[in-house]
Amino acid sequence: MPTSSPSSPPLPPALRAFFLANEGLAFFLELAALGALAWWGFTRDIGRVGSIALAVAAPLAAAVLWGLFAAPKARYAVPLAAQLGVKVLVFGAAALALLALGQRSLSLWFTVVVVVNTVLATYYRTRH
């Protein structure tokens, strides 16, 4: 039977399920951020080739940054503040992209859900 450390008692099954669902939501939000950046890039008035290139480059840059520093199995282990900084940069860019697309309500809801999700995920990850 596995033992737990004194600072982190085992979670009740319902709470564990909640945190696992929150992790799933985190992944969905990451994909949504990439989608928002691609949508924004595609709608820029810089010619067909330029908009397609931006629709690929913007989410690709965000995904590379995320994979290097913010992903659960990031290539480089950085302090929590740096991880959160990358998340602010990527999710903030996605929220601004939605604003630029005229999606004010969607941008607001996206931001609120990202903040709540990130706070809960960070709390759980730093305690268990």
Side-chain angles (χ1 to χ4, degrees):
M1 174 178 221
T3 60
S4 62
S5 68
S7 63
S8 62
L11 291 175
L15 193 54
R16 179 162 167 66
F18 172 79
F19 282 113
L20 288 174
N22 195 59
E23 291 295 323
L25 176 60
F27 181 68
F28 171 78
L29 291 169
E30 294 158 16
L31 293 178
L34 298 177
L37 292 169
W39 181 17
W40 170 82
F42 189 72
T43 61
R44 298 303 87 199
D45 189 18
I46 54 176
R48 178 60 85 195
V49 173
S51 64
I52 290 172
L54 192 55
V56 171
L60 181 61
V64 168
L65 187 63
W66 193 276
L68 290 174
F69 303 109
K73 294 181 180 181
R75 181 162 178 87
Y76 300 103
V78 296
L80 179 60
Q83 290 175 17
L84 293 175
V86 169
K87 290 180 181 191
V88 166
L89 184 65
V90 171
F91 286 134
L96 290 173
L98 290 170
L99 274 178
L101 290 162
Q103 301 295 321
R104 187 175 181 187
S105 294
L106 185 56
S107 176
L108 177 64
W109 278 107
F110 177 76
T111 302
V112 168
V113 173
V114 162
V115 168
V116 171
N117 174 265
T118 302
V119 166
L120 291 173
T122 302
Y123 174 81
Y124 177 74
R125 290 174 188 163
T126 58
R127 304 254 179 321
H128 295 89

